[in-house]
Amino acid sequence: MRKYRIAFFTVDWNYELVEATLQGLKQFVEDHENVQLCVFDCFGKDTDGAKDHSEYGIYNLADLDQFDGALVQGNQIVLQSARDALARRIAEAGIPTVTVGSDIEGCCLVGIDNRQAQYDITAHVIREHGAKKLVYLTGILDNGSPEARQRLEGFEAACRDNGVAAGDARVIRCTWRTTDGNRVAEEWVASGKPLPDAFVCANDEMALGIIEILTAHGLRVPRDVIVTGFDNLASAKLSSPRLSTVNRDYARMNYTAMEVLLGRIDGTDTRDYVDCRYDVVCSESCGCRDVSRPDAIRDMYFQQTSFLKNFYLLQDKMAEELFEANTLQDLMGIVENNHEIFGCDSAYLCVNAFYWDDYDKKQWRRRSDTFDDEMVLAACGTSLPEAAEHLRFTRFPTSRLLPNCLMENERFLIFYPLHYNTYSIGYLVMDSISEAAKLNLHKSILSFLEIAIENVRKKCMLKELNDELDELYVRDGLTGLYNRFGFERYARQAFDGFLRRDGGARILFVDMDGLKPINDVFGHEIGDEAIRAASEALKRACGKDDFLMRYGGDEFLVIAPRREEELEAAIQAAVREANDNFDRPYRLGLSVGSVEVAGGDSCSLDECVQAADALMYENKKRRKGRR
């Protein structure tokens, strides 16, 4: 049996429509065991800003050369530049494609006759309810998607054909949003003008926005004014009054689109357009009677109340734990332990390799607003914990979307982008439709994740910066050796450690010979160079675990294990090597005083330093006496 791998592209700006769409597609996958569907979804809007481009970037995740076909919910992709860019990629890939609601050149369009549907509901309001003055709220007319234009044409044709005067059919340009309906209603009430006979809206959201404001001002629908919508959302079914609207079965429409797509892949379906059924729902908001809905409203209320109660408990628990995380690894473990909130069997969180490997954005070589060539499977929230343990932190090429062992077994996957402002973090993958999506709550989950991940990155950056500052605080600026603050913090720790682990310690007090003449003759810059040269000689002679500090201007202190009896000789050998290999106008010389202390001795570190200092001066006097 042939297997099909399909990419589906949509935008979750109207979650009820997308949720219905995904239900239809998931049912298709369940009915066809030879189909794998990868859904690329986001929360992009119609504004052409940087943040929206970061959302639509999820489409670039799909390597279309690895898919047999594509399905595009064109009427949901409201940003024309994003839709056009996707259309170009599809054309370049040359794969069979079906689009829903909005045409793409060379692709089959599956949809309803939007013009006729809007005509029918408008004509109903005029003929059956005597509306003579109508106001129409459009969708977005200038983004290249035909639905808004077709519905406007249907409204205008219905008014013309049914005797509505041109001046009595007013059109207000809007953008599909509930806030558009709110705004139009508020402005109308504030103006004091008589209400029209009907507000006819290009979608349910604007219609419900109008009803909300009119009701708040004590106006009644449909007694004072008729309101109609388009789409038959769940909120339209449950509104009071029940909204008159146009119903199109999104689940069935997209199921049909998948059937057509497989036919085009096989070469058995060559249709350019497939017309789907719609129904005009004549209900309470236009003055028609509707069937009683108390049981449906009650059931939905209890279902939503129960779901929300559990969801917010899970969200509060996860949020509290997420913002306590100090590393990405800790955070990913929290995501896995709380994966129940996603409402699916498995949720995979994939992070860009550049983000995972380096918290400092300045070090990111690739563009930070897109996906890296390599991803890290940072969290594997699944009902099979042994699988999560095996796959956690796996690296894989981004083009594979997930590690091969997962892609081979998953047949329905939804990909959501994760980004902070305009730079990409990675993406979240779910193996089924989130229950939270029905109430648009999955967006808040993703926002929590994005903020929590960025919070951890900043925490780590701040810690690294504090560590650097702390290191500068205890280090001498000229030599890089420990300073007096470093002595107070680490010297006794090193001393006690050597006594405990090695049975004793050796303390060496070192003083430069002739630094004053070097400064007097050659200047202080050369004197500083001599100090650095002395420190480098000490570094070469001492072990990596030895404590080494600049004790004063030209004095140094070394704390080393007891077994390093030849350390003084190694220091003098390093000085000779420095003099032989570097051309300087002076000879480097060091005088050393060395004290050994056993683990059982009662000598303190300060006493040992004083003793080594005294021995150093005795040795310096003897050396001067021999010159």
Side-chain angles (χ1 to χ4, degrees), residues 348-382:
Y348 310 107
L349 203 160
C350 304
V351 176
N352 282 316
F354 68 74
Y355 191 105
W356 184 265
D357 293 335
D358 197 330
Y359 291 132
D360 188 355
K361 286 193 293 185
K362 296 177 182 177
Q363 305 304 317
W364 295 349
R365 296 181 181 178
R366 292 180 174 83
R367 289 177 58 201
S368 61
D369 61 347
T370 188
F371 299 105
D372 200 352
D373 296 332
E374 185 179 63
M375 304 299 295
V376 179
L377 182 60
C380 186
T382 174

Side-chain angles (χ1 to χ4, degrees), residues 310-323 325 330-347 349 379-383 392 428 434 445 448-449:
N310 185 55
F311 176 83
Y312 286 125
L313 286 174
L314 293 173
Q315 180 178 262
D316 290 346
K317 175 178 177 293
M318 185 176 76
E320 183 177 345
E321 294 178 9
L322 284 177
F323 289 108
D330 290 343
L331 185 143
M332 296 308 163
I334 293 167
V335 171
E336 291 178 353
N337 293 336
N338 290 273
H339 81 277
E340 180 186 355
I341 196 171
F342 297 112
C344 54
D345 290 335
S346 298
L349 203 160
C380 186
T382 174
S383 55
R392 188 182 295 120
L428 177 73
S434 169
I445 302 172
F448 264 109
L449 280 178

Side-chain angles (χ1 to χ4, degrees), residues 11-57:
V11 178
D12 215 334
W13 72 269
N14 187 316
Y15 61 92
E16 287 190 44
L17 298 184
V18 172
E19 200 270 339
T21 293
L22 294 179
Q23 292 292 352
L25 295 176
K26 193 169 193 306
Q27 186 62 54
F28 186 90
V29 172
E30 291 174 358
D31 294 343
H32 298 78
E33 61 182 21
N34 59 332
V35 173
Q36 181 191 58
L37 182 67
C38 295
V39 177
F40 299 92
D41 195 0
C42 68
F43 303 97
K45 297 180 177 62
D46 59 323
T47 55
D48 202 10
K51 292 188 73 172
D52 278 318
H53 281 288
S54 297
E55 284 286 336
Y56 288 109

Side-chain angles (χ1 to χ4, degrees), residues 185 189 195 211 213-221 223-225:
V189 172
L195 289 169
I211 292 175
I213 298 303
L214 293 179
T215 302
H217 285 279
L219 298 168
R220 294 163 295 179
V221 176
R223 184 168 180 174
D224 295 318
V225 62

